[in-house]
Amino acid sequence: IGDLNGNDGPAFANNSDNSLHVVTAEGTESRAVLDGFVITGGNACDENHFKRSNGGGLFCDHGNPTVIDCTFRGNYAGDHDGGGRGGAVYSTQGNPSFDRCRFENNYAVALDGGEGIGGAVSLDSGSVTLTECSFLGNVSGRDGGAVYCNETDLKATHCLFSGNLARFGGSGSRGGAICAWAGNLTLSQCTFANNTALTKLDDPAADYGGALFIGESTNLILLHSVLWANSARYGSQIALTPYGVGSIILHYCDIQGGYEGFGNVDVDPIFVKPGQWIGMNIQGNASSAATEFLLWEPGDYHLMSQGGRWDAAAKTWVQDTVTSPCIDAGDPGALIMYEPFPNGGVVNMGAYGG
């Protein structure tokens, strides 16, 4: 816990005394394991020192830690000059892995309200894996509401991205969930829903990629995933830079508005209960201090099923009156992995398929 005086309030109030980084991992090997912790209250805020403005929860420099079953909540990164990087995690030239981790309500926003990248995670080079992770209600001041990666090989499998926000950057905003530049982005069995790239309505700078922004020289592989109800002025689900991306492969995905690719569909996935922002109209002209810090109420992004699905709140199996068209809609040749019986013998789309 980064709150040294035990006096933190809502909207990062009273956090000036907090630890710059709750955890550091510099030069660590993969045998360095962080398992089962709640990491909260980090305040990476020092305008005079680059390192001290990045990674409020975990600062990783040339490190390869293994992070398992951890929750990163309410961490902050920001300064007066260009904002911070990675409210929860900043990694440079490392190969960390994150398994079954939850990232919620982390911020990377400049102290004056502008700029900042990677609301939850910011990556500068290296190879990073995310497995069964959730990114909920994270906010950046410009790019990558949940994740920003530059010259990084990022692989995410069975991950949920919902309610993340890239907002109000002085030069626009890109990637409500993920903004990637000059690297390799491989996403399989992921759900992207209700993420937003947003600028003030009177701002001439635009917002791109409600779910994904694919930058220059970036290769994207997107498989068995759902992109739905994300929003941006340009590319509500996916936006590509006009300056030339790498290869783009999208197959067996449900993408609102449609997208070229084998097995892709454009149908309502019928989630159990989408999440929502509390305290503001997300499409409004949010420029006052009262709306600087927002709260995302997580929903349930399981696919509804007449055959039965897991109810996380009740911790039991339930049967719905309708079945999502994303069930049994994946590649018929792909392994169904751990989908419980009875199933249709074909992998489902989204974070809970396979």
Side-chain angles (χ1 to χ4, degrees):
I1 297 177
D3 181 9
L4 300 180
N5 288 340
N7 64 346
D8 280 8
F12 301 101
N14 306 321
N15 73 341
S16 61
D17 64 286
N18 291 18
S19 300
L20 292 168
H21 318 293
V22 180
V23 181
T24 59
E26 300 188 53
T28 57
E29 299 179 354
S30 59
R31 291 178 295 175
V33 177
L34 190 66
D35 189 346
F37 287 89
V38 175
I39 299 167
T40 186
N43 182 35
C45 180
D46 185 341
E47 62 184 298
N48 298 313
H49 197 294
F50 176 78
K51 172 181 175 180
R52 292 170 176 261
S53 296
N54 302 326
L58 168 63
F59 184 89
C60 180
D61 184 358
H62 290 78
N64 308 322
T66 300
V67 185
I68 304 170
D69 291 322
C70 288
T71 296
F72 294 81
R73 179 188 301 126
N75 298 286
Y76 182 87
D79 59 26
H80 285 289
D81 184 17
R85 301 187 178 199
V89 175
Y90 175 75
S91 175
T92 178
Q93 301 185 61
N95 306 311
S97 65
F98 298 86
D99 298 336
R100 299 185 303 276
C101 290
R102 184 180 178 97
F103 300 82
E104 57 183 357
N105 301 322
N106 301 285
Y107 273 67
V109 178
L111 295 178
D112 61 5
E115 302 302 323
I117 59 178
V121 175
S122 183
L123 308 169
D124 281 326
S125 72
S127 180
V128 180
T129 60
L130 305 169
T131 306
E132 296 184 37
C133 292
S134 298
F135 293 82
L136 313 170
N138 302 286
V139 179
S140 72
R142 188 185 71 195
D143 296 341
V147 177
Y148 176 91
C149 45
N150 176 58
E151 297 184 344
T152 300
D153 292 336
L154 175 62
K155 181 180 293 184
T157 307
H158 295 288
C159 290
L160 169 64
F161 298 81
S162 71
N164 301 289
L165 174 62
R167 65 99 171 105
F168 309 161
S171 55
S173 60
R174 292 172 284 265
I178 298 177
C179 177
W181 292 93
N184 299 303
L185 184 61
T186 303
L187 309 170
S188 179
Q189 300 281 174
C190 292
T191 295
F192 296 84
N194 303 107
N195 303 287
T196 303
L198 176 69
T199 51
K200 300 187 183 79
L201 298 182
D202 58 356
D203 193 332
D207 39 84
Y208 302 85
L212 305 175
F213 178 82
I214 307 303
E216 191 171 355
S217 303
T218 302
N219 302 308
L220 170 66
I221 298 175
L222 182 63
L223 305 172
H224 296 128
S225 295
V226 177
L227 288 79
W228 199 262
N230 303 288
S231 61
R233 270 187 278 186
Y234 298 96
S236 58
Q237 310 307 315
I238 303 174
L240 308 180
T241 179
Y243 303 111
V245 299
S247 63
I248 304 293
I249 298 173
L250 289 85
H251 295 320
Y252 292 100
C253 292
D254 182 15
I255 302 177
Q256 188 172 17
Y259 212 96
E260 182 179 357
F262 195 76
N264 293 337
V265 297
D266 174 14
V267 291
D268 186 344
I270 315 182
F271 297 126
V272 173
K273 182 184 178 182
Q276 62 180 344
W277 287 103
I278 298 174
M280 78 169 289
N281 174 4
I282 195 64
Q283 296 298 341
N285 189 352
S287 59
S288 66
T291 58
E292 284 296 320
F293 297 102
L294 318 173
L295 182 62
W296 174 252
E297 183 178 86
D300 184 348
Y301 288 91
H302 282 85
L303 303 174
M304 296 188 76
S305 173
Q306 292 169 298
R309 61 167 174 84
W310 179 250
D311 185 324
K315 299 187 184 304
T316 187
W317 289 93
V318 298
Q319 290 180 302
D320 299 305
T321 58
V322 296
T323 294
S324 166
C326 294
I327 289 179
D328 297 335
D331 183 350
L335 297 175
I336 62 172
M337 298 298 287
Y338 303 111
E339 286 187 15
F341 290 96
N343 58 60
V346 180
V347 68
N348 300 337
M349 294 178 176
Y352 304 107

